[in-house]
Amino acid sequence: MKATVYVRPKPGILDPQGQAVGSSLRQLGFDVGEARVGRVVDLELQARNPAQARAELRLMCEQLLANPLIESYEIELADDA
Amino acid sequence: MKATVYVRPKPGILDPQGQAVGSSLRQLGFDVGEARVGRVVDLELQARNPAQARAELRLMCEQLLANPLIESYEIELADDA
């Protein structure tokens, strides 16, 4: 089963990487406002059904993929799994 | 207008961060196969219409957000723009 996890800095949390991207884009002449940078993790996992996959992915996020204090995550399962 | 850009390592390109994530997940006891790690960039931009926004975002990707040699990118515009 294929899954994708999106990890983003929570609103209000300082995002230096996003600030750097935003200011570099403006220096290049692009008219952009706020920029925020997060991670996307594509995973291949063994799970019997979507519910089990989601439960495991939540655990992975809490334990490794995201820092729940400052980051939020979204889980997406591929339909063609 | 809000937009999101997903930047991922191209298939076949070595992804050390993904390998580290995969092996850490396995050490934690998760039964995962390949893991690939990319970036997600959320942007607020001034554009008159979706076509102009997409054209600008393609330029941003080619010039800064992605390394076209080793990374692919996807552009998504928020519907509520």
Side-chain angles (χ1 to χ4, degrees), chain A residues 4 6 40 42 76, chain B residues 3-8 39-41 54 57-58 61 65-66 71-77:
Chain A
T4 300
Y6 304 96
V40 48
D42 294 310
E76 197 179 276
Chain B
T4 300
V5 174
Y6 305 96
V7 180
R8 291 178 159 100
R39 295 184 299 287
V40 49
V41 184
R54 278 182 191 280
L57 287 160
R58 269 194 298 272
C61 287
L65 300 179
E71 293 171 324
S72 62
Y73 58 85
E74 261 175 279
I75 289 167
E76 198 179 276
L77 290 179

Side-chain angles (χ1 to χ4, degrees), chain A residues 1-3 45-58 60 75 77-79 81:
Chain A
M1 194 173 289
K2 286 190 177 186
L45 70 161
Q46 311 300 328
R48 258 163 291 139
N49 53 61
Q52 196 205 342
R54 277 181 191 279
E56 277 193 24
L57 287 160
R58 269 194 297 273
M60 292 181 207
I75 290 168
L77 292 178
D79 305 324

Side-chain angles (χ1 to χ4, degrees), chain B residues 3-19:
Chain B
T4 300
V5 174
Y6 305 96
V7 180
R8 291 178 159 100
K10 286 188 180 172
I13 294 287
L14 198 67
D15 174 24
Q17 203 186 346
Q19 290 178 335

Side-chain angles (χ1 to χ4, degrees), chain A residues 5-77:
Chain A
V5 175
Y6 304 96
V7 180
R8 289 176 160 101
K10 285 186 180 172
I13 293 287
L14 198 68
D15 174 23
Q17 202 184 346
Q19 291 178 334
V21 164
S23 96
S24 298
L25 286 173
R26 284 185 285 274
Q27 276 172 35
L28 288 170
F30 295 106
D31 191 3
V32 296
E34 200 185 21
R36 308 276 288 171
V37 177
R39 294 185 300 286
V40 48
V41 184
D42 294 310
L43 283 170
E44 178 73 47
L45 70 161
Q46 311 300 328
R48 258 163 291 139
N49 53 61
Q52 196 205 342
R54 277 181 191 279
E56 277 193 24
L57 287 160
R58 269 194 297 273
L59 275 177
M60 292 181 207
C61 287
E62 300 289 339
Q63 291 181 27
L64 183 85
L65 300 180
N67 178 345
L69 286 176
I70 58 169
E71 294 171 324
S72 62
Y73 58 84
E74 260 177 277
I75 290 168
E76 197 179 276
L77 292 178

